[in-house]
Amino acid sequence: MKTKKSMSKLILILTVAALAAAGCTSGNKNGTPTAAPSGSGGSMVGENAEKPLVKYKYLIRGITKPTSSTEDEIGQLIKEKFNVEFEFIPYNESNYEKAQLMLAANDWGDIDIVTTGLDDITKKYIQAGVFLKLDDYKDLLPNFFDYEKDVIPYWRTFDENNGDLYVWQAGPDQQQLTSEPLDIVTRVDVLEGLGWPQLDTTDDYIEFLRNAMKKFPESLGKKSIGMINFWGEPIGPLLATYLPRHSGYQHVYKTTGLVDVEAKKFVSLPGHPYTKETFKFWNTLYREGLMDKEAWTDKFPEFQKKWESGVALTANFAKWMVPDKNAKMEQLGHPEMQYIVTPIRLSIAKNEGKNVRYELTNSLRPDETTGILKTAKNPERLLEVINFMASKEMTIRLGWGVEGRDYVVKDGVRVPTEEYVQIVKSGDPDKVLQKRFGIGYATMFPIRYIAVGDDGQHNMASSDSRYLMAVATETQKKAYQAYGWDTMLDAWHNNPNFKLESFDITPYIVASNIAPSQSEAKIEEKIIQLMNKQIPLIITAKNDAEFENHYNETVSKADELGLQKIIDKYNEQLQNFSSRIEELSNR
């Protein structure tokens, strides 16, 4: 899950104003393109004004009241061109929890578009026959089928019987190589106060946090917290297993198996020594008071509140929030307490000489999978909008903004304007960026917002290192200089402790998706439920004996439930991956 990543819906809503950067498509000052995307089948602005107004509803987490798409420039463009509006409806659960609840009740109210959030949920929706089959509307979707042709075969794998197309995703995911990976966010004044320590392994971080809590026991008059997490979210147990993917292995967003990259196969996650070392790291932080005691109850709102109060010396995983939180520190009058992202890997990897980090690229994006319900009113009108949005022009408009206002092109490269940079650095108190970019569109529409474009630049400004350096604060630049980094990416791309290599995890993601109709699916579900229950117990163990007891019990029960059958199934499906994708590519 992109938990990035996994997490995605909530992340998009809470960060779009601070993270989305200024744009690409040639247009006027209001953000309206001067021409429709090529092949849009489409009319120029205003041609559809005579058609009756249609409103579609979509769930958004992170807003407090229903919001209309006409409150932002993108929605205004869609309204003017197609006479279509979107109403964003707030909800509190994770996207996959909400999708699962609605499916179980067979009740979606008047919602028209659903983001499922997990591959298993996506397959259940397709199996239940509640999503619109997009193949039946190819004549309305020429842009879509062309723009997404490289990833559509992967999306077809969700229909285990016929390979029909029912959903789209936000991928391909190519953001981990153009911006900082999802490691540890660390406060700069703490790094400086401790003499700019070289942080590499989990052992380094334990020592760093011990010293940091001694030197910085309070922050802005409150007790400091060594590390904050948002493991109270349903994806918490999953996130707690991610460190092996920084340490020579890779992860398929499940608590069942790891990818042994060098052996090109799946191996057990629960019983793997790198998993145990991961749990031991978190347990050490927890037992020594270096990690927030409320890590397993804090959801994202509580996590954010603590971060914004200035008490966190480090934050796990949530690197996308750095520009916003740095702006908050500036507003508090303490820019020295701003943050940078620092790399982390397991000490066992260093000790075993496994000095390569495989950073993923992925043609799939499970947590941002979206489909149209069969009950959607006037689906043809909605599909016209989807076809319009599925274009390079609209992708850049949503990812970068309007040329001349939000960005300029220099030597063929998009660069944010000074005005845009200042809005980001200010924290955008007037929500200017939300008005320009809107909310929810990046997941609701197939716009490849986390991919690198054919021009070699990332489609989303916030994932572009040149943009990130443009909006970097003086405090961040000071830290980069202290560590000898020309850009923040040097911490990974030019790290003397390990080599960074790109790794396409797509075949493994596809191979780890077991059809709900197969017997192994029930076994997998039981093992994941077990892991969700046991991982918090392991990490919060009070002593070594309790830790070993919980860990060994977990591994034993997973084995008893049939974990090896699951790993064998993954590897079997991996062998059939190429032929299956070739077959679906010919649809």
Side-chain angles (χ1 to χ4, degrees):
M1 238 170 157
K2 206 218 262 153
T3 7
K4 11 200 337 285
K5 18 240 161 347
S6 176
M7 326 190 300
S8 52
K9 197 80 176 150
L10 170 66
I11 290 168
L12 176 64
I13 302 311
L14 294 175
T15 65
V16 65
L19 294 184
C24 175
T25 306
S26 178
N28 62 33
K29 296 263 183 179
N30 294 321
T32 304
T34 54
S38 59
S40 63
S43 48
M44 299 301 291
V45 172
E47 182 178 314
N48 287 299
E50 295 181 1
K51 292 185 178 182
L53 174 66
V54 183
K55 294 184 178 181
Y56 296 100
K57 293 189 177 183
Y58 181 60
L59 294 168
I60 288 285
R61 189 182 182 191
I63 58 176
T64 57
K65 61 181 180 179
T67 303
S68 171
S69 60
T70 57
E71 296 177 22
D72 62 73
E73 292 178 1
I74 302 297
Q76 291 163 9
L77 168 62
I78 292 170
K79 172 70 182 302
E80 186 176 3
K81 184 171 181 61
F82 296 99
N83 207 19
V84 167
E85 293 181 19
F86 295 92
E87 186 176 1
F88 301 114
I89 308 299
Y91 72 106
N92 296 318
E93 303 89 342
S94 66
N95 51 12
Y96 71 83
E97 283 180 310
K98 185 64 174 178
Q100 192 169 30
L101 287 170
M102 292 188 295
L103 181 62
N106 194 32
D107 183 5
W108 291 266
D110 51 1
I111 298 300
D112 300 290
I113 311 164
V114 172
T115 294
T116 53
L118 280 178
D119 289 345
D120 292 343
I121 307 301
T122 301
K123 289 187 175 185
K124 288 177 181 178
Y125 265 67
I126 292 172
Q127 194 175 55
V130 298
F131 272 155
L132 204 69
K133 185 164 75 171
L134 301 178
D135 293 306
D136 292 341
Y137 297 89
K138 279 189 175 181
D139 59 329
L140 292 176
L141 295 167
N143 278 1
F144 170 78
F145 277 93
D146 180 62
Y147 192 53
E148 305 286 9
K149 61 187 174 184
D150 59 325
V151 286
I152 282 177
Y154 303 112
W155 300 342
R156 291 187 181 279
T157 63
F158 296 119
D159 178 15
E160 61 173 324
N161 295 320
N162 304 309
D164 291 330
L165 183 63
Y166 293 90
V167 298
W168 61 86
Q169 295 184 337
D173 185 349
Q174 298 166 323
Q175 59 187 336
Q176 305 305 326
L177 295 171
T178 60
S179 61
E180 308 104 318
L182 297 160
D183 286 34
I184 304 296
V185 179
T186 308
R187 222 170 73 188
V188 174
D189 63 321
V190 180
L191 290 169
E192 183 177 19
L194 295 178
W196 306 108
Q198 297 297 319
L199 298 176
D200 176 26
T201 67
T202 44
D203 284 347
D204 294 336
Y205 276 88
I206 291 171
E207 186 65 21
F208 167 70
L209 286 171
R210 285 170 177 163
N211 294 331
M213 288 296 287
K214 290 176 184 177
K215 191 173 183 65
F216 296 86
E218 290 189 351
S219 298
L220 302 183
K222 299 179 182 179
K223 183 180 166 93
S224 295
I225 301 175
M227 182 180 293
I228 56 173
N229 277 289
F230 53 97
W231 289 346
E233 294 288 343
I235 59 170
L238 177 66
L239 294 177
T241 67
Y242 272 6
L243 288 180
R245 79 185 216 178
H246 303 334
S247 312
Y249 288 86
Q250 257 303 336
H251 205 292
V252 291
Y253 314 123
K254 292 185 175 184
T255 50
T256 48
L258 289 174
V259 176
D260 187 327
V261 176
E262 294 168 4
K264 299 180 180 179
K265 67 177 184 179
F266 287 94
V267 295
S268 165
L269 181 146
H272 198 282
Y274 279 47
T275 303
K276 186 175 184 180
E277 174 105 352
T278 297
F279 292 157
K280 194 64 180 174
F281 169 64
W282 297 127
N283 178 247
T284 299
L285 297 188
Y286 186 85
R287 282 163 56 182
E288 294 191 17
L290 304 176
M291 184 169 73
D292 190 0
K293 294 297 184 182
E294 296 175 331
W296 286 108
T297 56
D298 279 354
K299 295 191 175 184
F300 212 79
E302 293 80 18
F303 171 81
Q304 283 208 107
K305 186 176 180 180
K306 287 179 180 177
W307 197 347
E308 291 173 358
S309 73
V311 299
L313 306 187
T314 64
N316 181 38
F317 195 74
K319 63 100 177 183
W320 61 89
M321 296 301 299
V322 169
D324 179 64
K325 301 313 169 210
N326 283 349
K328 292 292 192 300
M329 293 303 103
E330 180 76 37
Q331 292 166 8
L332 290 174
H334 289 279
E336 76 281 359
M337 295 172 62
Q338 292 172 337
Y339 297 83
I340 64 170
V341 187
T342 51
I344 186 172
R345 60 178 175 145
L346 293 168
S347 297
I348 191 174
K350 179 180 179 179
N351 296 338
E352 292 185 349
K354 204 172 186 69
N355 297 320
V356 60
R357 172 166 172 162
Y358 298 102
E359 197 55 61
L360 67 83
T361 62
N362 187 6
S363 294
L364 290 162
R365 181 74 169 186
D367 51 343
E368 293 181 311
T369 306
T370 303
I372 302 170
L373 293 172
K374 281 185 176 179
T375 54
K377 49 196 161 293
N378 297 309
E380 292 84 1
R381 298 283 300 280
L382 176 55
L383 290 166
E384 287 178 345
V385 178
I386 288 170
N387 188 61
F388 173 75
M389 299 299 291
S391 67
K392 177 181 177 180
E393 291 87 349
M394 291 311 298
T395 293
I396 299 304
R397 172 61 185 87
L398 274 166
W400 284 83
V402 175
E403 185 174 357
R405 181 191 69 183
D406 302 313
Y407 78 96
V408 295
V409 177
K410 294 182 179 179
D411 299 323
V413 175
R414 291 183 294 277
V415 179
T417 61
E418 182 59 28
E419 180 211 16
Y420 190 87
V421 168
Q422 293 307 316
I423 292 173
V424 173
K425 287 185 175 182
S426 72
D428 194 14
D430 298 324
K431 297 185 177 180
V432 172
L433 299 186
Q434 184 170 315
K435 294 171 186 174
R436 294 181 183 182
F437 295 92
I439 57 174
Y441 297 122
T443 297
M444 189 170 67
F445 293 125
I447 63 159
R448 303 172 74 96
Y449 88 95
I450 53 174
V452 173
D454 56 14
D455 57 3
Q457 192 166 11
H458 204 281
N459 289 335
M460 182 67 70
S462 59
S463 293
D464 180 80
S465 61
R466 287 157 291 203
Y467 159 81
L468 291 169
M469 286 303 297
V471 301
T473 67
E474 293 305 312
T475 299
Q476 287 180 300
K477 291 176 183 177
K478 176 182 180 180
Y480 301 154
Q481 184 177 13
Y483 281 111
W485 304 339
D486 291 332
T487 76
M488 70 288 292
L489 295 187
D490 283 346
W492 294 268
H493 293 242
N494 295 306
N495 193 305
N497 299 310
F498 59 81
K499 180 182 179 182
L500 185 75
E501 292 188 9
S502 174
F503 176 69
D504 183 4
I505 202 170
T506 309
Y508 297 89
I509 296 292
V510 174
S512 67
N513 285 329
I514 300 176
S517 61
Q518 297 181 355
S519 60
E520 292 90 348
K522 294 295 184 184
I523 299 173
E524 182 189 54
E525 184 177 2
K526 289 179 180 178
I527 293 171
I528 292 173
Q529 289 173 350
L530 169 71
M531 297 298 287
N532 287 344
K533 176 186 175 183
Q534 292 295 112
I535 288 173
L537 296 178
I538 297 169
I539 291 175
T540 60
K542 297 180 178 63
N543 51 56
D544 289 343
E546 186 175 315
F547 175 90
E548 291 293 333
N549 181 58
H550 285 312
Y551 176 73
N552 291 333
E553 179 186 23
T554 302
V555 174
S556 177
K557 285 185 176 180
D559 289 341
E560 290 173 8
L561 287 170
L563 177 61
Q564 191 55 49
K565 290 182 180 179
I566 302 305
I567 301 303
D568 291 343
K569 185 65 177 180
Y570 292 167
N571 283 317
E572 175 191 329
Q573 294 187 158
L574 182 62
Q575 296 304 311
N576 299 327
F577 167 79
S578 297
S579 59
R580 176 64 169 156
I581 295 302
E582 182 178 359
E583 173 192 345
L584 294 175
S585 297
N586 294 324
R587 285 291 307 271

